[in-house]
């Protein structure tokens, strides 16, 4: 017997059977649609829950009245093994923000640290010198974290080492491809932050000895801040340790999973253990 040409019944069918067949086909299609809708809804639901849990764990705290005077505080599960202040880079310019430090904060809080990822006034948004430096010191004092390790990338590396000199709360600094000497290699960029007459106060190389342990991690393929910045600084700073990562570029320092980041991470753990 030949199948019905209008439905899935494998034979000729009556009008009633044909109607039932089409109802079943419609039900199956609707079921598949519901499954797809549910799957999509679940994806959105999972994303929403993740965002909700993120903000439960991360607290936004203002330390001043300016829109850029705030930070994000990450609290670990259980007893903290120390505290880290994350300072993002971007050559002190307004277009770069603390979102650069969030992936690092996520790793460090999972390692058991309290993490204070800070924003600050930048060039083009009320910053400059000494405003930018003043904000970093104010942010460090704003939250009761006890002794802290500062961790900073690029321009943030400058601020991390500078804060180690200026703040009694900082017990050590990790500079990730940091800008450490305003008189060499990057002087035109430094002049966007401050005048040459301010180098003596703003440039870490001019503040040696820092008086705290400093670990300078730098890639030998850095395309933005030459590795000579860290080499030169470590040559004159008695408590500095130089870590050169072969083949590493500028952004490798803040990319979790890279050798550069793992070197920075290990340096944080080691310095925090001595606080």
């Amino acid at each position: 017997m030949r199948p019905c040409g209008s439905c899935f019944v494998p034979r000729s069918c009556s009008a009633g059977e044909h109607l039932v067949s089409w109802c079943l086909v419609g039900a199956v299609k609707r079921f598949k649609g519901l499954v797809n809708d549910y799957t999509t809804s679940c994806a959105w639901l999972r994303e929403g829950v993740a965002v909700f849990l993120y903000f439960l764990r991360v607290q936004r705290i203002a330390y001043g009245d300016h829109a850029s005077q705030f930070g994000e505080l990450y609290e670990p599960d259980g007893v903290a093994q120390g505290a880290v202040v994350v300072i993002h880079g971007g050559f002190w310019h307004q277009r770069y923000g603390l979102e650069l430090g969030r992936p690092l904060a996520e790793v460090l809080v999972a390692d058991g640290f309290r993490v204070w990822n800070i924003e600050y006034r930048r060039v083009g948004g009320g910053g400059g010198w000494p405003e930018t430096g003043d904000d970093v010191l104010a942010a460090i004092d704003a939250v009761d974290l006890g002794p802290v390790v500062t961790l900073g990338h690029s321009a943030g590396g400058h601020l991390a080492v500078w804060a180690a000199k200026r703040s009694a709360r900082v017990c050590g600094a990790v500079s990730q491809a940091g800008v450490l000497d305003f008189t060499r290699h990057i002087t035109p960029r430094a002049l966007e932050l401050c005048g040459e007459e301010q180098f003596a106060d703003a440039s870490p190389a001019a503040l040696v000895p820092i008086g705290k342990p400093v670990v300078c991690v730098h890639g030998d393929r850095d395309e933005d801040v030459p590795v000579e910045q860290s080499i030169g600084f470590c040559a004159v700073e008695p408590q500095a340790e130089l870590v050169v990562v072969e083949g590493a570029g500028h952004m490798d320092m803040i990319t979790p999973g890279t050798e550069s980041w793992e070197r920075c991470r290990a340096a944080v753990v080691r310095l925090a253990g001595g606080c």
Side-chain angles (χ1 to χ4, degrees):
M1 186 175 291
R2 82 182 163 80
C4 176
S6 302
C7 68
F8 63 82
V9 177
R11 59 177 174 78
S12 297
C13 61
S14 66
E17 289 174 324
H18 186 69
L19 178 62
V20 170
S21 172
W22 272 108
C23 287
L24 289 172
V25 170
V28 169
K29 288 181 177 179
R30 179 57 183 156
F31 177 74
K32 288 181 178 178
L34 288 173
V35 169
N36 290 335
D37 290 346
Y38 178 74
T39 302
T40 302
S41 298
C42 283
W44 280 101
L45 181 60
R46 283 194 297 270
E47 184 176 341
V49 169
V51 170
F52 178 70
L53 292 176
Y54 173 85
F55 283 106
L56 280 181
R57 191 176 75 256
V58 182
Q59 183 180 2
R60 188 183 193 276
I61 301 173
Y63 62 85
D65 296 329
H66 192 277
S68 293
Q69 292 175 321
F70 72 96
E72 295 174 345
L73 180 63
Y74 294 68
E75 295 285 3
D77 296 328
V79 178
Q81 65 164 315
V84 184
V85 177
V86 175
I87 310 173
H88 73 81
F91 278 111
W92 312 282
H93 275 277
Q94 179 68 21
R95 63 181 176 273
Y96 301 103
L98 58 60
E99 65 275 1
L100 291 169
R102 285 174 179 157
L104 314 187
E106 291 283 356
V107 174
L108 292 170
V109 74
D111 285 342
F113 290 100
R114 301 182 76 192
V115 184
W116 180 220
N117 182 28
I118 65 170
E119 192 55 274
Y120 51 88
R121 285 175 290 176
R122 288 142 287 156
V123 175
W129 203 260
E131 291 80 8
T132 295
D134 288 344
D135 278 5
V136 171
L137 296 182
I140 290 171
D141 287 338
V143 180
D144 185 13
L145 297 172
V148 301
V149 173
T150 51
L151 171 70
H153 176 244
S154 193
H158 152 247
L159 294 168
V161 177
W162 182 85
K165 177 70 174 185
R166 298 301 189 196
S167 174
R169 297 188 65 180
V170 179
C171 61
V174 178
S175 169
Q176 304 169 283
V179 179
L180 302 174
D181 187 348
F182 286 7
T183 67
R184 304 174 65 220
H185 312 114
I186 48 77
T187 301
R189 303 303 298 268
L191 288 170
E192 296 173 11
L193 174 71
C194 61
E196 192 170 354
E197 72 281 0
Q198 295 174 302
F199 283 8
D201 174 63
S203 177
L207 302 177
V208 169
I210 299 300
K212 316 274 178 64
V214 177
V215 180
C216 297
V217 186
H218 217 125
D220 65 0
R221 297 290 181 87
D222 195 310
E223 64 280 10
D224 294 312
V225 179
V227 67
E228 286 77 15
Q229 280 279 304
S230 290
I231 293 172
F233 179 81
C234 290
V236 297
E237 167 53 52
Q239 293 193 67
E241 175 188 341
L242 177 64
V243 179
V244 177
V245 184
E246 292 186 7
H250 194 63
M251 300 304 290
D252 292 332
M253 298 289 149
I254 56 170
T255 304
T258 63
E259 180 186 356
S260 297
W261 164 244
E262 291 304 324
R263 296 288 191 94
C264 297
R265 182 182 181 185
V268 168
V269 171
R270 182 154 47 87
L271 291 184
C275 285

